[in-house]
Amino acid sequence: MVYKKRFDGRKFDELRKIEAEVGIIPNADGSARFKIGKTEAIAGVYGPKEMHPKFLQNPKKGTLRCRYDMISFSVNERARPGPSRRSQELGLVIASALEPVCLLNDFPKLIVDVFIEIPQADAGTRCAAICAASMALADAGIPMKDLVAAVAVGKIGDKICIDINKEEEDYDGPGGATDIPIAYSPVENKLTLLQLDGKIKDEDLVKAIKEGIKGAKKIYEIQKAALKKKYKVNEVLNE
Ligand code: UDP
């Protein structure tokens, strides 16, 4: 029942090493890369632009469309290229985690396309995708209330662990593994994604969400710093 030490030696509330960068795809209107441990997501944003076919246009608000794709070399056992049930579901999940912060009413009928590629996966790819996409949307100048930061919390054996990797996700020792991806907007103080794969007691779920929010707040600062770096905000302020 006791998970004493994390497989990779991290503290239970320690995130993996994070790298975040904005403006990596010159051809896109906005783009970003977010790496957490060995999991990496890159996102390119195109739009707002006219939506085709026209009957899909929403006259009241804009549409946010996300495509999630794992590159075939991203995992040990080659991922089959092209859309799958999982990638289609993740595209929808990612869009619904980002929609609450996007001011879609500002561009009725139009569409914003977000393309996300996963060059490397070691669990938590939907969360890395949300982090990258949220920075890329901001980089594209899409009107937003806030950024969204996301992280997968786990209950591994008897311990709540932040930012679980694949080895932890696959833990089949006593107590098993429960995977809880969450996305959080600090300005709105809202969870925009909460999923749960496994079993957990109510009180542990509350603890997991609290830990997740703490982790998301740390990620949020890194996302903001990456955007400020591209737009040289600190240089301008210190002029
Ligand atoms: N994975 C894999 N092959 C696949 C899909 C997933 O090896 O075709 C691995 C990958 O490391 C991924 C992890 O399983 O990050 C967990 O996938 P899940 O569907 O739970 O989503 P994620 O945790 O990446 O958001």
Side-chain angles (χ1 to χ4, degrees), residues 1-238:
M1 190 66 187
V2 182
Y3 181 52
K4 273 196 183 142
K5 202 168 182 310
R6 293 183 80 170
F7 293 128
D8 62 5
R10 273 182 293 154
K11 292 185 209 130
F12 293 109
D13 63 350
E14 188 178 340
L15 298 165
R16 291 177 283 182
K17 184 173 171 278
I18 296 174
E19 290 170 23
E21 199 182 347
V22 171
I24 55 156
I25 306 169
N27 289 339
D29 294 315
S31 58
R33 182 176 78 89
F34 184 86
K35 188 166 185 219
I36 184 157
K38 285 189 249 166
T39 292
E40 183 170 24
I42 53 181
V45 170
Y46 296 80
K49 57 184 186 177
E50 201 168 317
M51 187 173 188
H52 297 290
K54 279 193 170 169
F55 73 86
L56 289 178
Q57 291 178 355
N58 184 337
K60 296 213 174 81
K61 60 176 195 168
T63 303
L64 182 70
R65 183 166 60 191
C66 296
R67 197 194 74 172
Y68 164 102
D69 180 57
M70 257 176 145
I71 300 182
S72 47
F73 54 71
S74 60
V75 281
N76 294 343
E77 208 165 297
R78 173 179 174 272
R80 200 160 165 261
S84 61
R85 268 184 71 155
R86 176 178 176 273
S87 69
Q88 283 176 8
E89 185 194 326
L90 288 189
L92 294 174
V93 161
I94 292 162
S96 73
L98 295 164
E99 265 169 18
V101 298
C102 293
L103 298 168
L104 298 176
N105 293 337
D106 285 11
F107 46 94
K109 293 191 189 166
L110 303 180
I111 182 161
V112 173
D113 261 323
V114 185
F115 296 100
I116 300 150
E117 294 292 341
I118 306 295
Q120 219 177 224
D122 183 18
T125 61
R126 79 196 59 204
C127 293
I130 292 167
C131 293
S134 141
M135 290 191 289
L137 285 164
D139 183 41
I142 304 301
M144 292 162 87
K145 292 191 244 182
D146 196 10
L147 292 168
V148 176
V151 69
V153 191
K155 179 149 185 270
I156 311 299
D158 60 337
K159 295 287 186 322
I160 304 289
C161 303
I162 190 106
D163 181 26
I164 56 170
N165 64 17
K166 181 75 176 138
E167 200 180 359
E168 288 181 324
E169 204 182 280
D170 291 344
Y171 174 82
D172 62 0
T178 299
D179 176 21
I180 310 155
I182 74 150
Y184 176 70
S185 151
V187 166
E188 297 279 288
N189 191 28
K190 235 187 216 167
L191 289 177
T192 66
L193 170 81
L194 176 60
Q195 293 187 294
L196 195 151
D197 183 9
K199 283 183 186 164
I200 194 163
K201 283 194 208 129
D202 290 0
E203 62 261 34
D204 285 338
L205 180 59
V206 172
K207 270 191 217 157
I209 293 172
K210 279 188 184 158
E211 280 303 314
I213 290 174
K214 266 198 230 161
K217 283 181 176 166
K218 291 182 192 157
I219 292 172
Y220 182 72
E221 292 306 320
I222 296 170
Q223 291 173 297
K224 278 200 298 188
L227 280 156
K228 283 184 179 171
K229 191 171 176 202
K230 179 182 172 196
Y231 293 98
K232 300 193 172 16
V233 172
N234 292 335
E235 281 95 319
V236 173
L237 288 176
N238 292 330

